[in-house]
Amino acid sequence: MKRLWILIFFVVLPMCLAAQQKTEYNRKGDEAMKRLDYSDARMWYEEGVVQCDPYSIGQLTSIWLVNQRMRPSMHSLMNKCRNCLEVMANNKDTTAISQLITYYTEGIGTPKNETLAKSWQERLETLRKPVEPVHYTSNQTKPDKPKEPMKFFVGYAYSVEAPYGLTVGGIKSRLGWFARFRTNFSFKDNDSECRGNGQMVGSVPGGPFIRFTNNQKVNSYAGTAGIVVKCTSWLYTSVGLGYGSRELLCEYKTIDATDHRIEKLYWSKNLDHSYNGLAADLDFMVKFGPVFVSAGCNTLNFKYIDLNAGLGVFF
């Protein structure tokens, strides 16, 4: 208990007295201001400048503004006030910033400086500008990113047996689509059917003596559609499914039974090397600016494989 009283006497009591003394100069300065005794008021408020007391600084500023006769003797004191205000202003004290603007505009304790006054004014407006809170809905945790528009492309599609084709499509940030059609513009009709070993199937026009020549024709077309995946900024891959047809036609010659000099040519569809049904495409596209080239393969019923190539542009 004795130690507690010693602590109060030597620590707490001096602090209370200091706090009382700290406000004493402002109280006496206010009494002098009521008497319009500015010299006496200045003397009391000057004690507060040592502590950078905002109230004392404000009162001294008022004396400077209303009493021009005292200004010559207050230059040094007001310069100290300005230094205190700058310390508080740098700590984002808007009241101190407002007073600094007056100091530099009126030339209080320092030459007038419109540039500094404007600079502090801009800083004050920035500090006073309200910060609008960002409200997110329950389904939105962050602002939406700008949507990337779809880029379309068109190009020439080539394969070994169907060299005439067109590819069109579009792609966004990562995924896209494409549609492709290829043909060789051959639509030759067949007169009969045969197997891969040269064996005729069914009735044979112009028979019975026949002989196959080395001439062949292919009727080929395919239509596919699928997805495009953007792997990198310059590399894309595409996979598609659709329908296709490939007919291998073999030419054969018939010899008239009554006159061997009479020969006729016919076309026979080779059933072992003709397909129709599921068509599939797999390609890679490499982009050079707006231009792209592609390469890959296609298959028909997974029995016949052909090579693909392409050239086109993005727009």
Side-chain angles (χ1 to χ4, degrees), residues 111-124:
K112 292 183 179 181
N113 193 323
E114 293 295 331
T115 302
L116 284 176
K118 183 178 180 181
S119 175
W120 282 110
Q121 182 65 43
E122 292 174 353
R123 188 167 179 181
L124 180 62

Side-chain angles (χ1 to χ4, degrees), residues 223-249:
T224 55
I227 63 171
V228 179
V229 180
K230 183 178 181 181
C231 303
T232 67
S233 60
W234 54 271
L235 180 62
Y236 302 76
T237 184
S238 63
V239 179
L241 297 174
Y243 179 84
S245 175
R246 177 186 188 267
E247 294 181 346
L248 177 61
L249 305 182

Side-chain angles (χ1 to χ4, degrees), residues 61-285:
T61 304
S62 299
I63 293 173
W64 172 282
L65 293 173
V66 301
N67 196 323
Q68 296 185 6
R69 291 184 298 103
M70 294 185 63
R71 290 180 182 179
S73 62
M74 292 179 67
H75 272 291
S76 177
L77 176 61
M78 300 312 293
N79 189 47
K80 293 178 181 178
C81 292
R82 182 179 59 83
N83 291 335
C84 288
L85 290 174
E86 286 192 347
V87 172
M88 290 184 283
N90 286 323
N91 288 325
K92 300 182 179 181
D93 187 327
T94 56
T95 303
I97 295 176
S98 299
Q99 288 182 294
L100 268 182
I101 295 171
T102 303
Y103 270 54
Y104 285 116
T105 302
E106 301 294 333
I108 302 176
T110 183
K112 292 183 179 181
N113 193 323
E114 293 295 331
T115 302
L116 284 176
K118 183 178 180 181
S119 175
W120 282 110
Q121 182 65 43
E122 292 174 353
R123 188 167 179 181
L124 180 62
E125 292 174 357
T126 301
L127 290 174
R128 286 179 174 175
K129 184 180 296 184
V131 179
E132 296 183 1
V134 179
H135 300 286
Y136 299 119
T137 63
S138 58
N139 296 327
Q140 181 182 4
T141 58
K142 59 182 180 180
D144 292 333
K145 293 182 179 179
K147 292 184 178 180
E148 183 177 342
M150 179 171 287
K151 293 183 178 180
F152 295 95
F153 60 89
V154 61
Y156 167 64
Y158 170 88
S159 69
V160 175
E161 286 202 344
Y164 309 107
L166 180 69
T167 299
V168 296
I171 187 167
K172 278 194 158 183
S173 57
R174 280 293 180 187
L175 293 177
W177 61 273
F178 81 94
R180 178 178 297 146
F181 180 78
R182 296 186 308 270
T183 182
N184 64 352
F185 285 113
S186 176
F187 306 100
K188 184 70 176 177
D189 291 330
N190 60 288
D191 304 295
S192 61
E193 295 178 344
C194 65
R195 293 293 182 182
N197 56 6
Q199 180 182 356
M200 302 301 293
V201 178
S203 61
V204 181
F209 303 108
I210 65 170
R211 185 178 65 185
F212 282 94
T213 69
N214 293 325
N215 294 330
Q216 293 182 341
K217 284 185 177 294
V218 175
N219 299 334
S220 178
Y221 69 88
T224 55
I227 63 171
V228 179
V229 180
K230 183 178 181 181
C231 303
T232 67
S233 60
W234 54 271
L235 180 62
Y236 302 76
T237 184
S238 63
V239 179
L241 297 174
Y243 179 84
S245 175
R246 177 186 188 267
E247 294 181 346
L248 177 61
L249 305 182
C250 300
E251 185 184 54
Y252 67 93
K253 180 188 301 184
T254 65
I255 303 173
D256 191 279
T258 59
D259 189 349
H260 291 180
R261 293 173 298 177
I262 301 176
E263 297 180 350
K264 292 184 179 181
L265 297 176
Y266 297 91
W267 292 95
S268 178
K269 178 180 176 181
N270 192 321
L271 299 179
D272 291 337
H273 297 284
S274 297
Y275 315 99
N276 61 75
L278 179 66
D281 278 315
L282 174 63
D283 288 272
F284 291 93
M285 301 165 56

